[in-house]
Amino acid sequence: MIVVLKKLAADEQVDNVIKHLEDYGFAIHKSTGEEQIIIGAIGIQPDFDTRKIKILDGVSAVYKVTEQSRLASREYKKENTLIKIGNTSLGSNEIVTIAGPCAVESEEQIMAIAKIVKDAGAKILRGGAFKPRTSPYSFQGLGEEGLKLLKQAGDEFELAVITEIMDPGRVELIYKYTDIFQLGSRNMQNFPLLRELGRVDKPVMIKRGMAATIDDWLMAAEYILASGNEKVFLCERGIRTFETSTRNTFDLSAIPVIQQRSHLPVFADPSHATGIRDKVIPMARAAVAAGADGLMIEVHNNPAAAMSDGPQALLPSQFNELMDQVRKIAEVIGRKA
Ligand code: PEP
Ligand code: MN
């Protein structure tokens, strides 16, 4: 940790800061510049609350130099984490696409969409059975029936499947049907759920909370990793900002930031990030160019009749076009799709 003192900090204030740091167990390296004193506080305490020092008189700024997240950090593990799914690995050189409807609506719907996304080159089929809807009056998903239909479609078209879990009490039920658990934006800091997902042996995709910083997001991953499940990957899905032109603001720079700070694969979901069909394709292309390990894209065979998120679902022809473009971009950046 680095503590920068104010230019006019009095000697007693500097001594007081040093005393506090020593009391908290840090060794001190004091560096006196021409204008300012900087103190290196040496000792690994990732959980140390820097506010304890920031509030002291004479302190200008405090910076942490070790990652707060341990298991999720690149400092802990240099190589990319690879998560095997079917005949590919998330986090490898291959860009993997997850596609499908927002929600499973019927057998006919999920079978038709599974065929469309498989033919276009997706490797993983998505479909919500328990939907986190803002309004209690909106379609909440088909529940276990939806899980059965999703698995049936995955089996039929040889696609792995992913579905959202909202309730720690449903881990066992959903485990029976899914290959990957999706932890949604609204539940990114549902700590009992994070701990339960740490006890399973299937991968978990953590969507970024809509008001979560990258530190918050990595700490959510930390909960699952610390509970014993190493198969964790992340998905940027847009954050809430003052901008209202799109549903959320797609934080594209989160992708290289995560890749520098963490070994976990990072995906991008331009569907929920933008919320508008014609903005999904350009932002999906951008995400791939920025280095995302994969995409999550909502696709519907009849978006006008979709029971949720129809306006952001790509039409089958658009999804085909996007997948062609993704393959080309992948080649340019030395990856495959
Ligand atoms: C979803 O993927 O279906 C979903 C609800 O996304 P998010 O949690 O990102 O809002
Ligand atoms: Mn959706």
Side-chain angles (χ1 to χ4, degrees):
M1 187 166 69
I2 292 174
V3 182
V4 181
L5 278 303
K6 287 184 180 155
K7 286 187 182 158
L8 297 175
D11 289 350
E12 309 82 73
Q13 291 176 334
V14 178
D15 292 345
N16 184 46
V17 171
I18 290 176
K19 183 174 179 324
H20 274 80
L21 288 168
E22 284 174 342
D23 288 349
Y24 289 124
F26 292 100
I28 302 300
H29 182 276
K30 185 173 158 193
S31 153
T32 309
E34 273 180 28
E35 290 198 321
Q36 242 169 325
I37 292 173
I38 292 175
I39 299 169
I42 298 148
I44 298 171
Q45 295 191 37
D47 297 332
F48 186 78
D49 186 344
T50 52
R51 291 175 304 175
K52 290 177 177 169
I53 302 301
K54 257 182 211 160
I55 54 165
L56 299 177
D57 288 340
V59 173
S60 166
V62 181
Y63 303 101
K64 268 196 168 168
V65 290
T66 40
E67 286 281 0
Q68 207 187 348
S69 57
R70 300 168 215 200
L71 305 174
S73 76
R74 277 257 184 231
E75 287 166 7
Y76 172 76
K77 182 169 173 252
K78 287 212 168 22
E79 328 76 63
N80 289 349
T81 282
L82 301 180
I83 302 173
K84 203 170 153 21
I85 304 284
N87 58 4
T88 187
S89 287
L90 314 184
S92 70
N93 198 39
E94 182 170 352
I95 295 161
V96 176
T97 301
I98 302 172
C102 184
V104 179
E105 298 168 8
S106 66
E107 180 175 351
E108 195 193 358
Q109 175 244 21
I110 194 66
M111 293 305 243
I113 298 174
K115 179 166 180 5
I116 290 162
V117 303
K118 170 79 184 192
D119 289 349
K123 293 275 164 68
I124 303 169
L125 177 66
R126 63 154 287 147
F130 296 95
K131 293 299 304 172
R133 303 306 298 279
T134 300
S135 163
Y137 309 115
S138 302
F139 174 58
Q140 304 285 308
L142 297 180
E144 186 169 4
E145 181 57 20
L147 296 175
K148 285 185 184 159
L149 294 174
L150 182 68
K151 178 164 171 36
Q152 184 188 327
D155 289 346
E156 172 80 21
F157 294 98
E158 292 180 7
L159 290 161
V161 300
I162 180 168
T163 198
E164 179 161 353
I165 177 154
M166 294 193 287
D167 173 354
R170 287 219 178 91
V171 172
E172 231 173 281
L173 172 74
I174 296 179
Y175 186 92
K176 285 200 282 181
Y177 300 101
T178 200
D179 299 300
I180 306 171
F181 287 92
Q182 174 170 327
L183 181 70
S185 195
R186 292 158 190 80
N187 274 298
M188 193 205 82
Q189 287 185 315
N190 179 339
F191 300 114
L193 180 55
L194 290 167
R195 286 199 192 281
E196 279 306 311
L197 292 172
R199 285 191 261 273
V200 299
D201 59 4
K202 290 189 178 181
V204 180
M205 182 180 83
I206 309 180
K207 292 191 116 185
R208 182 176 182 179
M210 55 187 87
T213 63
I214 286 178
D215 282 314
D216 296 336
W217 195 14
L218 288 173
M219 289 312 272
E222 194 73 19
Y223 263 87
I224 300 181
L225 296 168
S227 306
N229 185 353
E230 291 177 0
K231 297 177 195 159
V232 176
F233 64 110
L234 305 166
C235 181
E236 163 62 37
R237 48 78 72 206
I239 48 176
R240 285 247 168 107
T241 68
F242 49 81
E243 180 53 63
T244 53
S245 313
T246 48
R247 182 177 181 184
N248 292 289
T249 298
F250 193 22
D251 183 8
L252 202 52
S253 55
I255 293 164
V257 171
I258 287 288
Q259 284 171 335
Q260 184 196 16
R261 292 186 50 188
S262 176
H263 51 85
L264 301 174
V266 57
F267 274 50
D269 171 356
S271 302
H272 291 88
T274 64
I276 310 161
R277 181 174 306 127
D278 67 3
K279 304 291 179 290
V280 173
I281 292 184
M283 296 321 289
R285 290 191 302 238
V288 171
D293 294 304
L295 295 171
M296 169 171 266
I297 307 286
E298 286 190 343
V299 179
H300 203 287
N301 55 341
N302 183 6
M307 295 170 90
S308 63
D309 282 348
Q312 69 192 33
L314 292 190
L315 300 162
S317 58
Q318 290 177 309
F319 183 61
N320 265 316
E321 189 189 330
L322 172 63
M323 292 300 278
D324 280 343
Q325 295 177 348
V326 166
R327 281 185 281 270
K328 288 182 192 145
I329 298 168
E331 205 181 313
V332 173
I333 57 173
R335 297 183 78 167
K336 62 173 189 156

